[in-house]
Every structure is written in structure tokens, then in C-alpha cells.
Amino acid sequence: MEFSTQDKGRYTEVTPSGRLNMVAAPKLREVIDGVVSAGGRRIVVNLAETTFMDSSGLGALIGCLKLARQSGGDLRIAAVQPQVNMVLELTSMHRVLTPHATAEQAFPND
Amino acid sequence: MTDNLARRVLEEPATEQAIEDLHGVLDQLWLDAAFVPQLDQMAFTTAVIESASNVVQHGVPSPGATLHLGVELTVSAERLKAVISEIGAAPHDPVPDLDDLPEPSLPDEDALLEDYDESGRGLSMIRALVTTVTVERQGDTNVWVLSRDSGQD
């Protein structure tokens, strides 16, 4: 899995590409930790290129959400693909990580 | 007897690489069994990766043994089946709880977030994604058998 990080002004966009499984999950935590340490408060994880997520990947996203909130910010997800959406709904985690259609829509102008 | 229309196997040391390789084996399986509905492919793939990850993360080798992951995937007209073997493993202690957990009573968002338990979540996901799941001891191996009824609209 590859990660790209982009400063979009109002938020930082992190795009994981590939499979968010037990191998990639610790890497996602590292990437988000780096963003938060660098002062990023609003983080959008763009899942357009994430074709697969398991409970390890979901655990990493949940951990990253907690980290962002503890730092006074927030983490939102966007462009969720069908398998990832299935896992979110199966675990009821779509209620805390509500998918947004696009990264731009995750943090509306405010 | 049920005719297998597609079959793939994998056996290698139970490491992270085995999980990446298993993703590739599943991709090949669905190329051979493209008639299986997308939802069934997605659910079964997720359950198989969850089970195999459980072996890699939590499997304990018997003294002097190297833990291997064995996977046999078969597709018949109406059923997807995975036999996932923890070869050279110590017996499960405790035995994984495969009974249905009571549904959480619609906890609020804060509780959902605070109570998230990764390994427990993996097992309950497996149960939700397949029709039957069993785990039993055979010789030096713990064997998980997952099956999902498929293609019945």
C-alpha cells in the first residue's frame, strides 16, 4: 500500500492506495501521526484508491480518529469503495466514521 | 457430491507476506469464478483474510515448530468454502468463541469509539460474513472451515 499526503489549505488529504490490511495498518498510523505532529488538525482520508479494508485497517482508522480528536482536530473519510463500505456498516462504524462523497465535501466551508 | 468449479491453494510460513500472497490467490480465484456475485466475492474475501490474519497475528507455534498458514479455497455452484489451517500450531487456548455475540444495544457514538476491540471485531465480522464457521483440532493443526452459500437470489 502506498500513501500520498497533500496540504489542501483547509485540510490535509491522505490517500492510501491499495489494501488497508494488517500489513498496511501500522503504516497508516505512522502517516497520520506525522500529519498531526506537523500541526495538521483537519484530516481527510481519501479512500478512492483503497480497494480493501479489514478489521486491522479499520482499527487503524479508529485509532487515527481518536488521535486527531485528542489533538483538537478531526479525521473524516471520503470516496469509500464498496468493500470498505460493507466493513463500515457491518461494524456500525459508519456512525463514527461517516463516509463523505468526496474529499472536498468532508469539511464544508466554515 | 458437489463439483468444484474453481480451486486455489496456498501454504507458506505464517508471516505478513502470506497475507499479501493470499490476496493475490483470491484475485486469481475470482478470475476463474467470475460467475460468483460481487457481494459474495467481497464478503468471502473479507472473511478469508480476517481468518488468515488471525492465524498470522495470534497463532502460537508448538515448541520447536514453525507456524505455517495453509489455505484451500473452493467454489462450487452454490457454495464458497475455505479451509484455513494453522499448521504446527499449539492448540487454541482459549478456543475462539464462535457463538453469536449479543448485538450491542445501539451504543452511542462515543461508546462505539471507545469500545472498539480489533481482534474481537475480526471474529464477529467472520461470523457475519459467512454462513457457517467452525474451528477444530486435527493432529498438529488448528483448522478453520468457512463456508458461504452463494449465488442464490
Side-chain angles (χ1 to χ4, degrees), chain A residues 1-3 16-31 52-58 60, chain B residues 12-23 49-50 52-54 56-57 69 118:
Chain A
M1 167 159 257
E2 305 287 328
F3 296 89
S17 178
R19 293 162 174 142
L20 187 48
N21 59 15
M22 60 169 278
V23 183
K27 296 176 191 165
L28 175 67
R29 290 182 200 257
E30 275 176 33
V31 170
F52 180 90
M53 179 177 77
D54 63 10
S55 61
S56 305
L58 178 58
Chain B
E12 57 185 77
T15 63
E16 289 184 346
Q17 185 58 45
I19 299 301
E20 300 289 20
D21 293 344
L22 180 56
H23 277 291
I49 293 291
E50 284 291 339
S53 299
N54 194 289
V56 171
Q57 287 178 307
L69 171 70
E118 215 172 277

Side-chain angles (χ1 to χ4, degrees), chain B residues 54-66:
Chain B
N54 194 289
V55 172
V56 171
Q57 287 178 307
H58 304 295
V60 179
S62 297
T66 304

Side-chain angles (χ1 to χ4, degrees), chain B residues 44 47 79-83 126-127 129-134 144-150:
Chain B
F44 186 71
R79 198 158 74 125
L80 312 173
K81 185 179 173 194
V83 179
I126 295 168
R127 278 193 303 261
L129 290 166
V130 297
T131 313
T132 63
V133 50
T134 61
W144 300 72
V145 180
L146 278 51
S147 82
R148 179 180 168 95
D149 297 341
S150 165

